[in-house]
Amino acid sequence: MKKIAGALGLAIMLATSAQAGPACEYLRHYVALEPQSGAELQMQNEQGACRVHNAQWSTGYSSMLLAFDELVLQDKGLADFSGQQDMPQAIEMAISGIYVLTGRLPGQDYIMRLQAKPMDFSLKYQWDPASAHLYLEQLRLRSQSLREFRVQAQFGIESAAGRALSQSELEQAQLKSLRLYLDNQNLIQSMVMPVVVMSMSMDEDPRPSIDKALLAARTAVRLMPDSVADRDSRHALLAFIGQLPAPQGRLSLDVKMDPPWSMVHLEPGVSVDGVRQMLSGLRLHAKFETGQTPAVYAWLRDHVRSGLQWFAQRKTAVAP
């Protein structure tokens, strides 16, 4: 009887493993996810996707954990992934209910859960080896309290043409176009500026360095010719910079680079000649709206987007 039970258990285990899709296999073997509570990770394989509930991921920075309510990873781009690769060639992922934990102070983590204002994150990119283009179709971070940050971009990576892309080759990427939307409500103040200040010496007042950087940004915008940015775009950028480091408006930015910008040029310490060369082929359109977005509009917008996303996922799940 024990042999029969053991054989039945092994058959069930093998059947479950065989039914697991590429996304679940990728998460199980290559992403260090842990359950928030209990002994087992709540991972559910669906048609074309993997869904994980109430899990957490170690960031690798101290003991900080990112906990979340739900993660949905699509199978697309993961069917051919193997241990010989260091990055998938395509990703489509959505994470909802994200909040940060210390990972070592249970009492503080309990309070942080109670006070959490969860965020949602989504990422979608596609590598095309034929054209040697990496398409960042969407990178979005949003929450009810922080509003929304959204980026779309296109990169050219000629060194990887015709083959799989690796992380080391991302340094050779050249930025060809960028679209950015920032509906800011304390997002920069609570997330970006703390990181900037922590990168400086904690024994020094950061304000002089920040003021110097803002002055350089304003000067660069004022020197932009009409061929780079029209007057309305320059005024929009100056208005946005004028509110830093605590802007409260909504910034839309559409940028095209010809020739493309090398990722090396985007590092700090670029020379004046380097900046001039970068600006020579730049085409920029910006819009900045001040004032708060009405709460009813923000609520309706977010719920409509969530409904459309749910409908798209259900449509994908029932597709033959």
Side-chain angles (χ1 to χ4, degrees), residues 138-168:
Q138 179 175 273
L139 187 154
R140 183 173 66 184
L141 179 69
R142 62 174 179 147
S143 77
Q144 184 177 0
S145 60
L146 299 179
R147 293 292 192 252
E148 181 176 9
F149 171 75
R150 184 172 69 245
V151 174
Q152 292 177 303
Q154 180 179 344
F155 300 87
I157 312 178
E158 295 297 334
S159 60
R163 55 187 175 83
L165 181 65
S166 65
Q167 292 185 16
S168 61

Side-chain angles (χ1 to χ4, degrees), residues 92-112:
E92 185 172 352
M93 174 178 62
I95 311 176
S96 59
I98 304 171
Y99 50 94
V100 181
L101 302 175
T102 67
R104 54 186 175 83
L105 301 173
Q108 185 173 349
D109 283 347
Y110 180 80
I111 298 299
M112 292 173 73

Side-chain angles (χ1 to χ4, degrees), residues 204-260:
E204 298 179 5
D205 186 352
R207 286 175 293 185
S209 297
I210 293 174
D211 291 342
K212 183 179 179 180
L214 294 177
L215 176 60
R218 286 193 294 269
T219 302
V221 172
R222 290 191 179 103
L223 293 177
M224 287 181 178
D226 291 337
S227 59
V228 172
D230 59 28
R231 184 180 61 179
D232 290 342
S233 294
R234 294 197 299 271
H235 286 172
L237 289 175
L238 290 173
F240 174 73
I241 296 171
Q243 288 196 10
L244 288 172
Q248 292 297 324
R250 296 169 297 282
L251 175 68
S252 299
L253 194 63
D254 192 346
V255 189
K256 291 182 174 58
M257 299 83 170
D258 186 16

Side-chain angles (χ1 to χ4, degrees), residues 43-288:
M43 184 178 293
Q44 179 183 358
N45 186 66
E46 299 180 350
Q47 185 175 359
C50 184
R51 191 179 299 270
V52 181
H53 296 278
N54 300 319
Q56 59 192 27
W57 172 69
S58 175
T59 64
Y61 179 76
S62 183
S63 59
M64 186 173 68
L65 299 174
L66 290 180
F68 58 85
D69 294 336
E70 183 180 73
L71 180 152
V72 179
L73 178 63
Q74 302 296 323
D75 288 342
K76 179 183 178 182
L78 296 171
D80 299 327
F81 184 83
S82 66
Q84 298 177 348
Q85 298 174 286
D86 59 5
M87 66 177 292
Q89 304 304 290
I91 281 287
E92 185 172 352
M93 174 178 62
I95 311 176
S96 59
I98 304 171
Y99 50 94
V100 181
L101 302 175
T102 67
R104 54 186 175 83
L105 301 173
Q108 185 173 349
D109 283 347
Y110 180 80
I111 298 299
M112 292 173 73
R113 287 176 190 268
L114 290 178
Q115 298 179 345
K117 297 180 179 179
M119 298 177 291
D120 295 340
F121 173 81
S122 60
L123 172 66
K124 183 178 181 181
Y125 72 77
Q126 174 77 47
W127 165 245
D128 181 11
S131 63
H133 282 142
L134 177 63
Y135 298 96
L136 179 59
E137 299 179 23
Q138 179 175 273
L139 187 154
R140 183 173 66 184
L141 179 69
R142 62 174 179 147
S143 77
Q144 184 177 0
S145 60
L146 299 179
R147 293 292 192 252
E148 181 176 9
F149 171 75
R150 184 172 69 245
V151 174
Q152 292 177 303
Q154 180 179 344
F155 300 87
I157 312 178
E158 295 297 334
S159 60
R163 55 187 175 83
L165 181 65
S166 65
Q167 292 185 16
S168 61
E169 289 166 323
L170 293 178
E171 298 179 357
Q172 308 299 321
Q174 293 185 318
L175 181 60
K176 307 186 76 171
S177 65
L178 172 71
R179 283 187 174 180
L180 180 147
Y181 175 75
L182 173 63
D183 184 355
N184 182 81
Q185 185 178 355
N186 300 323
L187 191 151
I188 289 181
Q189 299 93 303
S190 61
M191 298 187 67
V192 177
M193 293 310 299
V195 174
V196 172
V197 172
M198 288 178 64
S199 67
M200 304 177 182
S201 174
M202 299 300 291
D203 297 326
E204 298 179 5
D205 186 352
R207 286 175 293 185
S209 297
I210 293 174
D211 291 342
K212 183 179 179 180
L214 294 177
L215 176 60
R218 286 193 294 269
T219 302
V221 172
R222 290 191 179 103
L223 293 177
M224 287 181 178
D226 291 337
S227 59
V228 172
D230 59 28
R231 184 180 61 179
D232 290 342
S233 294
R234 294 197 299 271
H235 286 172
L237 289 175
L238 290 173
F240 174 73
I241 296 171
Q243 288 196 10
L244 288 172
Q248 292 297 324
R250 296 169 297 282
L251 175 68
S252 299
L253 194 63
D254 192 346
V255 189
K256 291 182 174 58
M257 299 83 170
D258 186 16
W261 286 5
S262 171
M263 298 303 291
V264 176
H265 291 158
L266 300 180
E267 296 178 356
V270 181
S271 65
V272 175
D273 290 339
V275 173
R276 288 174 179 169
Q277 182 179 1
M278 291 168 63
L279 292 178
S280 64
L282 185 68
R283 300 294 181 272
L284 180 150
H285 179 73
K287 184 178 181 181
F288 183 60

